[in-house]
Amino acid sequence: MSEKFKAILITRDEEKRQSVAIAELAETELMEGDVTVRVEATTVNYKDGLAITGKAPVVRRFPMVPGVDFAGTVTVSSHPDWKAGDKVILNGWGVGEVHYGAYAGKARVKGDWLVPLPAGLSARDAMAVGTAGYTAMLCVMALERHGISPARGPVIVTGAAGGVGSVAIAILSRLGYTVIASTGRPAEADYLKDLGVTEIVAREELAAPGKPLGKERWAGGVDTVGSHTLANVLSMTSYGGAVAACGLAGGMDLPTTVAPFILRGVSLVGIDSVMAPKELRLEAWRRVATDLDRGKLEALTRAIGFDDIIEAAKDIVEGKIRGRIVVEM
Ligand code: NDP
């Protein structure tokens, strides 16, 4: 029971300066919860990068074990839904922010936060998907709810070479959509085409202030960037289209006008993965298992070790990571 395991720990000194190190924890030091899980795989999301570098106030309790995503096996449970041996996934719910998270050999959480590992997915697959991929699925589901079928026209994905972007492209192309990618990394053109992109728009084209309404270029969008990029995506969305907004890689502001909404009936759909209700999560993970090509998932994923997490966290906030990262414990 008191066996120690490795964990990443973020601490803060009296001057509120944050530091991060690899430490050892015992199960008795974990926070309250009714299910204990042996973490078998995790990942590094943009948010984990913000948490570890301290670039944004993601962590709101110190010390903290960061990591918003894990997949593993239940070792102890007093929750009616779970028993020892069950394979589970956790995404969000404030884990890695206010509750000890994924970057540790074990995690103790509320059973209500867990979803079962879908049949056919390994812990590694689930973390190659991770919050980024499950959010991409939530975005695609939102477009579908707004009637954006492949027949309506192309869909643009911004921040295309990132985690959410890459998985969104793989899913959309598998579902038969024509996918346009916006990227700041022209060198990744072949990578994006292999994932299913047919046209690439340079990041600069959408990052500068634009007009309230532009030429109608796409029926829908998955936006991970925010700011002028999202404003331009909206202004070029065709009549009755919809854009799912999930990210702020380019900024938190949204300098738009009401023109796309009141003159073209465009919908802006907000996507949150952290507090998303369980039913929606179960549906998203079920869809991930069926609608994400496993070969493409492998192609967009790179594996690293536990000791590489801190470096990868720095890289992701600098926009240096392509696709998804998986960490096998
Ligand atoms: P990544 O870092 O993997 O991808 C972000 C991508 O955005 C980069 O790869 C880059 O794509 C692009 N980008 C980076 N900086 C800028 C910039 N200054 N201007 C324009 N584009 C930029 O992150 P994730 O895919 O994991 O996350 C993407 C966003 O979605 C983040 O803001 C994250 O916080 C958010 N998110 C939100 C969730 C929610 O619940 N709402 C859940 C998960 C993520 P390229 O090189 O192709 O240009």
Side-chain angles (χ1 to χ4, degrees), residues 44-47 50 131-132 135 138 158-165 182-185 188 192 203 207 223-225 229 245-251 271-274 316-324:
V44 180
N45 295 284
Y46 188 81
K47 191 180 208 172
L50 294 176
T131 281
T135 302
L138 290 176
T158 65
V164 176
S182 165
T183 184
R185 289 185 268 181
E188 299 299 353
L192 294 169
R203 182 195 288 179
D223 179 68
T224 70
V225 173
T229 301
C246 71
L248 43 58
I271 302 298
D272 167 62
S273 66
V274 181
I316 201 166
V317 290
E318 287 172 19
K320 290 185 192 162
I321 302 280
R322 180 179 93 176
R324 297 278 304 137

Side-chain angles (χ1 to χ4, degrees), residues 245-257:
C246 71
L248 43 58
M252 190 134 173
D253 59 329
L254 179 53
T256 185
T257 73

Side-chain angles (χ1 to χ4, degrees), residues 26 67 110 112 139 153 165 177 186 197 252 257-258 269 298 324:
K110 282 193 183 171
D112 290 346
C139 290
Y177 290 85
V197 163
M252 190 134 173
T257 73
V258 296
V269 194
E298 199 52 44
R324 297 278 304 137

